[in-house]
Amino acid sequence: MSQKFQMMFQIAESSFEELPRICRTPAYVKRYLDLHDALYTAMTLARTKAERGRIYRISQTIWSELLAAGANPSEVRELLSPSYIWRHYDKVKASKVHVDSYELMYQLIQIKGRDFILRNLKKFQQRGVDIDTIAMNCYRIETKHDLEVQCAEMRVLGVNLTTIFVMANQLLVKESPKPANVYCLLYFFYQQNLSLGLIAAWIKDHCNPKIHESIIAAAPLDWTIFGINLDDYRPIWVNMNFYNFISIEPNLKKLPPTITINQFLELLNIQQVYVATRYGCDFEKFLTKNYLVSGGQIDILAEKYEHDNLFCTPDDKLRIGVTLLKYGATNINREKLMELFKQCDLSKNKRIKYGKVLNQKEI
């Protein structure tokens, strides 16, 4: 117990013992106000439950007189314990003291625990605390079992399903490294008819690499039932995995069912294809042994060649353009290729090879 608190409390206690119970004269009023000041100062110095309890025992017997003497109602409120206010709610509420029912609930949770709030649920509602706020402060969803049991209880009480979803967020985040567990929890809310927009928004905001991979894989979990837009997830997946599919093996046939070859290519630029084929495989072999045999359309690749920025040597640019033309691209600018052909310092064999494709004789 601090020395300052002890000194101030002794002043308040001695003043209280000498105090009349009814304010009749200005002198009495002053004594009540002096006592109020001493009690309030002592309360600001109190650091323990025991110290506050000593103040409450005095102030709760004379708080009406303090108000009558003109003490500040908000300061008088601080001199009343939450438990006292709860027991004498109507009397305190009818006075000048302002009682915030939500603040009182939070204080009583700290003092008496959540079970006390639930046991007095109807009274709290009658005193203006909404059921969703009560639920958010008194229920804890820590496991799937908690969710199933407590959701049923809360729904009977009238708690909004969206509120329960918010309450389950911590559990969802905890389970996020395990996509199957997250899916199971979200499916529970899906069955309860929670707005798909809310579920889809949660997935988008909390999507990690494992969930992302599960979404794109589409099996055994179909995440699209939650209203997600796969266009939000394809670009990241393609940019993280395209190297595995640009090869001389027909790997594009192994794309997940949520991504077609055309979608895969649309999400890449020609520079990425060029780099992957330059360091991983030959462009012509990629085109013939993977892209085309897997069902890719030559003109889509040619369109990217024509309009994307391609940073490479003129020889490489010519080689790719001629290869696309050779295998049937109809949207290649032949005139530009011919200009490039004239500019490049090619070997005799390449000039013959490219010249045939360009319908141009060896120069």
Side-chain angles (χ1 to χ4, degrees):
M1 185 179 297
S2 72
Q3 187 175 359
K4 286 184 179 180
F5 170 81
Q6 182 66 19
M7 180 177 65
M8 188 55 65
F9 182 75
Q10 285 176 351
I11 293 172
E13 194 171 39
S14 61
S15 297
F16 173 70
E17 290 171 353
E18 299 172 359
L19 197 65
R21 289 294 177 267
I22 301 174
C23 298
R24 295 190 180 91
T25 68
Y28 287 165
V29 170
K30 183 178 185 306
R31 290 174 67 182
Y32 271 106
L33 291 178
D34 289 344
L35 173 58
H36 165 266
D37 291 344
L39 287 169
Y40 187 74
T41 302
M43 181 61 81
T44 62
L45 296 170
R47 294 293 179 267
T48 67
K49 182 179 179 180
E51 289 174 349
R52 288 190 292 272
R54 295 176 69 182
I55 298 169
Y56 288 147
R57 279 191 290 275
I58 295 176
S59 59
Q60 287 170 179
T61 64
I62 58 165
W63 66 273
S64 295
E65 286 84 353
L66 296 178
L67 285 175
N72 186 323
S74 64
E75 293 181 356
V76 173
R77 164 67 178 82
E78 296 299 316
L79 299 177
L80 301 177
S81 73
S83 298
Y84 179 89
I85 295 174
W86 175 255
R87 291 194 304 272
H88 303 277
Y89 184 85
D90 292 336
K91 181 180 178 181
V92 177
K93 189 76 173 176
S95 72
K96 296 178 182 178
V97 174
H98 172 69
V99 179
D100 184 323
S101 297
Y102 288 90
E103 180 185 5
L104 180 61
M105 181 189 72
Y106 300 141
Q107 292 173 331
L108 289 170
I109 288 174
Q110 298 299 317
I111 298 169
K112 297 179 177 293
R114 298 183 180 91
D115 288 343
F116 174 82
I117 309 300
L118 294 175
R119 288 197 303 270
N120 293 276
L121 185 64
K122 290 191 180 299
K123 277 191 176 181
F124 277 101
Q125 287 183 278
Q126 290 168 357
R127 293 172 180 181
V129 183
D130 70 89
I131 187 62
D132 282 21
T133 301
I134 294 173
M136 291 187 75
N137 285 277
C138 295
Y139 284 92
R140 288 291 177 269
I141 300 175
E142 297 178 342
T143 65
K144 184 175 183 292
H145 178 72
D146 289 345
L147 175 61
E148 293 169 345
V149 173
Q150 295 182 25
C151 180
E153 292 178 7
M154 287 188 278
R155 294 294 279 163
V156 170
L157 294 174
V159 179
N160 190 288
L161 185 60
T162 301
T163 298
I164 300 173
F165 185 59
V166 172
M167 293 168 62
N169 181 66
Q170 191 171 355
L171 174 61
L172 284 162
V173 171
K174 184 182 76 172
E175 295 292 346
S176 60
K178 302 174 182 177
N181 290 3
V182 173
Y183 185 94
C184 190
L185 293 169
L186 293 176
Y187 190 76
F188 172 83
F189 284 104
Y190 171 78
Q191 290 180 310
Q192 300 293 317
N193 294 320
L194 181 68
S195 163
L196 291 182
L198 289 175
I199 299 177
W202 189 94
I203 295 171
K204 189 173 182 179
D205 290 342
H206 296 84
C207 187
N208 58 36
K210 289 185 177 180
I211 293 177
H212 196 278
E213 193 69 33
S214 179
I215 289 172
I216 296 299
L221 306 176
D222 179 12
W223 294 77
T224 60
I225 66 169
F226 300 134
I228 65 170
N229 184 350
L230 288 175
D231 287 340
D232 293 331
Y233 301 92
R234 291 188 183 106
I236 297 174
W237 189 91
V238 169
N239 278 283
M240 290 177 63
N241 294 277
F242 75 92
Y243 257 97
N244 299 327
F245 293 89
I246 298 180
S247 66
I248 60 174
E249 300 296 327
N251 287 342
L252 287 172
K253 289 183 177 180
K254 301 176 184 177
L255 281 171
T258 50
I259 301 177
T260 66
I261 293 177
N262 288 347
Q263 288 170 335
F264 176 82
L265 193 62
E266 286 292 342
L267 293 169
L268 295 177
N269 57 59
I270 196 65
Q271 187 70 32
Q272 290 171 301
V273 176
Y274 166 70
V275 171
T277 55
R278 184 182 182 190
Y279 296 105
C281 68
D282 177 75
F283 180 81
E284 185 169 359
K285 289 181 179 178
F286 158 71
L287 186 66
T288 57
K289 295 186 177 183
N290 187 359
Y291 183 72
L292 293 177
V293 298
S294 297
Q297 298 177 29
I298 189 75
D299 281 350
I300 293 178
L301 193 55
E303 184 75 13
K304 287 193 167 289
Y305 171 81
E306 284 291 314
H307 296 99
D308 289 356
N309 291 322
L310 177 57
F311 301 99
C312 64
T313 64
D315 286 13
D316 280 350
K317 190 167 187 176
L318 177 63
R319 173 176 57 83
I320 293 172
V322 169
T323 302
L324 290 167
L325 196 62
K326 176 182 176 182
Y327 289 97
T330 61
N331 50 351
I332 291 289
N333 189 322
R334 191 182 295 266
E335 291 182 1
K336 284 186 178 180
L337 276 184
M338 292 178 69
E339 288 298 320
L340 193 57
F341 177 83
K342 294 175 182 177
Q343 296 169 15
C344 291
D345 183 16
L346 302 172
S347 67
K348 182 177 180 180
N349 287 340
K350 283 186 178 180
R351 294 181 73 79
I352 294 172
K353 179 180 177 182
Y354 293 171
K356 288 180 179 179
V357 176
L358 293 168
N359 293 323
Q360 180 174 321
K361 295 180 181 179
E362 178 189 356
I363 299 175

